[in-house]
Amino acid sequence: MRRARSALPAQLPAAEAEEGLQRLARFLARALPLCRAHTTEFYARGLWEQLVAARPEVVLQALRRPLPEAAGAAAVRWDDDRFSDVFCENSNKLINVHLFALAAKHYSLPNLGVCTPLEEILEALRGDSQGASGIKTDEFMNNKKSHEVQAMSELVDKIAKYCGLKQVIDIGSGKGYLSSFLSMQYNLKVYGIDSSKTNTNGAHERNRKLKKHWKTYQSRARANSETQRLEKPIKNEIKCKAINEKPLSNNSSLQSQDQGTTQDLVPSCVFTEVAVSETSKQTEINLAQAQSDESKLSEEALAVLSVLPADAVEVFSSSHCNYGEVCEEEKARRKMAFIKAKESKSSESNLYFPLTSYISAETELSDIITDLEDCIMVGLHTCGDLAANTLRIFTAKPEIKAVCSVGCCYHLLSEQYENQADCTEEVWGFPMCRYLKDKGWCCGRNARMSACLALERVAVGQMLPTESLFYRAVLQVIIEEIYGVTKSDRHVGKIFSKSSSFLDYVRKSLKKLELDDSKLPDSCIMDYYEKYKHRMNELEAFNMLKVVLAPCIEVLILLDRLCYLKEQSNIAWSGLVKLFDPVKSPRCCAVIALKKQSCL
């Protein structure tokens, strides 16, 4: 029988979610021209003159000035009348940078008040379960991935337990970081599906290596458990001698013997000298100390054991048996534990199954997973349309009782109202909700690309690559004016890091674009450099404006997905949860939902 569960946190009402989306959309309708422009065309199209009225140094100074705290920003109601103070009504140019930054902050995820705090949902989902601990993911993942996997796996496990689920479908599983950790740490049966055969093969190999790593933890746990069982009779014997015989003045030989037997099994810190004085009072102190040592040893062993799947190791207990011998009850218990462990060994060693398949909104999971059962669907940084399709599959398939999805790569989203003449798709990644569909809302690829910028990283000093962007923008002027090329299927790529100077950069780029650089002397190339060098601060200021606006575009996409879920009749709870530290992982917000029947 499933245990009684606490109520989920209060969710954002559908009407409030749509109201926040509408207000944000009105702001972005005025501000998006800044992000719809491509930095490559900055000088070639005269973007600064078209879009910004202020001087670049004024913009940079205003954006570097500290803004009011969240409460102060949220206290201002931004309406259409106030927009006229930010943008010129006639030219639509940005005229007040400070108000622009304040508005962008107001429409950011924290200040809109549309997020459910992670702590609240974890507390509601926790129930009677104890959090797993002990495994250090940074031993086999980089810091960013370790942070993401630890945070997301804990939440997914709690949702699964809350809904009574044991199966997880990881969409866009990549190399299997999240999948393998969920299976090993939380004993969940995970199917990781990725469209890349290379990723699937890599996930198989990673999982094989991780199992070896996991066996190390199992061996340590068994060693600590066995040492705990053997150490108790030894300590008991010492305590008896301390009480019945004369006090020991030096027991170093005994201690040395103990350490020689067990020093490879447990840390030496769990051994302390057992010494008694000539008084009965000191004897009592030593008894208390010995009991404390036993407790420390037990806690250390259990800390290692707690990170393993159920029945993965035997936990020996001698609390009900006489020291120095094993009672019949203990023998029977060990035998049963061994049988259970043997029975579950095959299933526990195959809890993660990497699969290769392309996932679309129409995908039938039962065709891919033959033993599909009630499950939770997850996605850690699923790219482009895959994040939107994950939500569509969740709402359509009765077996999927919950979803936890963190999207990324917004520039790869397909848009229903962008380049309609060239689009043959029937299902698009954006928009999803009725309101934006009715408005025919379109961000544009460049704006969606801007949504991937990381404001929090810039705020802590990780500066934008202004010089490389400057090189590319000037190169575009050269390509158009000298070669008459405005569009090309070829890309320059990462040539900046391989170039020793602007001159070297231009020549390497022209060769990659298959343009004849012999017609362009060095002096001509350097003339272009000198012409635009003093305008580099314009490009820097323009990119900072895009960075400030980036979180608002991301929120538009996230609220579109949340409102879509709230339009569905079979959803009991849905919300946005800030899951990661945005400096470590800029795409940090999860879309979470539970179906009605999963909450019964």
Side-chain angles (χ1 to χ4, degrees), residues 184 214 218 222 305 307-315 341 344 348:
M184 293 183 184
W214 209 263
Q218 292 176 332
R222 290 191 180 96
L305 293 174
V307 304
L308 300 174
D311 300 327
V313 289
E314 262 188 279
V315 182
S344 63
E348 286 182 353

Side-chain angles (χ1 to χ4, degrees), residues 493-523:
K494 300 179 180 180
I495 290 182
F496 176 80
S497 60
K498 305 171 186 176
S499 304
S500 58
S501 64
F502 177 73
L503 184 63
D504 188 36
Y505 172 85
V506 171
R507 296 228 174 268
K508 287 180 177 177
S509 299
L510 292 175
K511 289 177 181 177
K512 189 168 183 179
L513 296 172
E514 295 186 349
L515 297 173
D516 182 12
D517 69 322
S518 64
K519 62 191 293 187
L520 193 62
D522 291 353
S523 58

Side-chain angles (χ1 to χ4, degrees), residues 48 52-65 97 534-542:
W48 187 264
V52 186
R55 298 190 311 276
E57 56 269 21
V58 173
V59 172
L60 289 171
Q61 183 180 10
L63 295 181
R64 289 165 181 164
R65 187 184 309 151
V97 182
H534 69 284
R535 296 179 58 188
M536 191 185 296
N537 62 345
E538 292 179 3
L539 184 62
E540 181 184 2
F542 190 75

Side-chain angles (χ1 to χ4, degrees), residues 164-448:
L165 307 172
K166 291 294 292 180
Q167 190 176 90
V168 179
I169 312 297
D170 185 3
I171 300 296
S173 55
K175 297 180 180 179
Y177 289 100
L178 178 64
S179 296
S180 57
F181 193 73
L182 282 170
S183 68
M184 293 183 184
Q185 174 83 330
Y186 295 104
N187 202 24
L188 292 165
K189 187 174 185 178
V190 185
Y191 286 94
I193 305 176
D194 196 271
S195 62
S196 169
K197 184 67 175 176
T198 301
N199 279 346
T200 303
N201 292 337
H204 271 295
E205 181 62 20
R206 268 195 86 262
N207 196 49
R208 183 185 66 81
K209 294 178 180 178
L210 275 177
K211 284 181 179 179
K212 289 184 178 180
H213 184 89
W214 209 263
K215 288 178 181 178
T216 302
Y217 282 100
Q218 292 176 332
S219 299
R220 291 175 186 172
R222 290 191 180 96
N224 285 342
S225 179
E226 181 66 16
T227 302
Q228 177 187 1
R229 185 181 70 82
L230 296 174
E231 185 64 18
K232 283 186 176 181
I234 297 174
K235 291 191 175 185
N236 186 67
E237 182 180 350
I238 295 173
K239 288 185 285 182
C240 291
K241 287 183 179 180
I243 296 172
N244 297 324
E245 299 178 4
K246 291 183 180 180
L248 299 175
S249 59
N250 188 344
N251 67 329
S252 59
S253 61
L254 177 62
Q255 183 184 3
S256 176
Q257 182 182 353
D258 290 343
Q259 290 177 340
T261 305
T262 58
Q263 62 183 351
D264 294 330
L265 301 178
V266 293
S268 60
C269 61
V270 300
F271 294 101
T272 54
E273 282 190 305
V274 180
V276 294
S277 67
E278 297 179 2
T279 64
S280 60
K281 181 178 179 180
Q282 185 63 36
T283 301
E284 293 175 0
I285 294 174
N286 284 322
L287 286 171
Q289 178 66 40
Q291 290 171 354
S292 174
D293 293 337
E294 292 177 33
S295 176
K296 289 179 182 178
L297 178 59
S298 176
E299 289 174 2
E300 180 167 348
L302 290 176
V304 178
L305 293 174
S306 67
V307 304
L308 300 174
D311 300 327
V313 289
E314 262 188 279
V315 182
F316 296 105
S317 172
S318 56
S319 58
H320 299 295
C321 302
N322 295 326
Y323 292 117
E325 64 179 0
V326 180
C327 63
E328 292 301 320
E329 180 185 350
E330 178 66 8
K331 288 180 180 179
R333 192 201 65 76
R334 293 184 190 180
K335 184 177 180 180
M336 289 302 299
F338 175 77
I339 292 173
K340 288 181 180 179
K342 187 174 181 180
E343 289 176 349
S344 63
K345 182 178 180 181
S346 59
S347 62
E348 286 182 353
S349 62
N350 294 286
L351 291 173
Y352 168 41
F353 303 90
L355 304 171
T356 302
S357 180
Y358 177 79
I359 300 296
S360 69
E362 293 80 22
T363 297
E364 288 293 340
L365 290 176
S366 57
D367 294 340
I368 305 171
I369 302 169
T370 55
D371 63 338
L372 182 66
E373 60 187 52
D374 288 354
C375 62
I376 174 174
M377 179 173 279
V378 303
L380 174 54
H381 290 153
T382 47
C383 291
D385 286 357
L386 188 56
N389 288 336
T390 296
L391 301 182
R392 288 193 173 98
I393 295 172
F394 161 69
T395 60
K397 307 302 178 185
E399 300 90 350
I400 307 173
K401 305 301 182 183
V403 67
C404 180
S405 172
V406 181
C408 70
C409 302
Y410 302 126
H411 60 291
L412 297 178
L413 279 171
S414 62
E415 285 201 65
Q416 183 173 358
Y417 303 104
E418 179 187 31
N419 302 325
Q420 289 180 312
D422 302 329
C423 189
T424 59
E425 296 186 45
E426 296 182 1
V427 179
W428 292 269
F430 179 87
M432 296 184 71
C433 73
R434 283 195 296 264
Y435 173 76
L436 293 184
K437 280 181 174 291
D438 291 344
K439 294 292 183 180
W441 233 92
C442 176
C443 288
R445 189 181 187 278
N446 290 336
R448 287 183 277 110

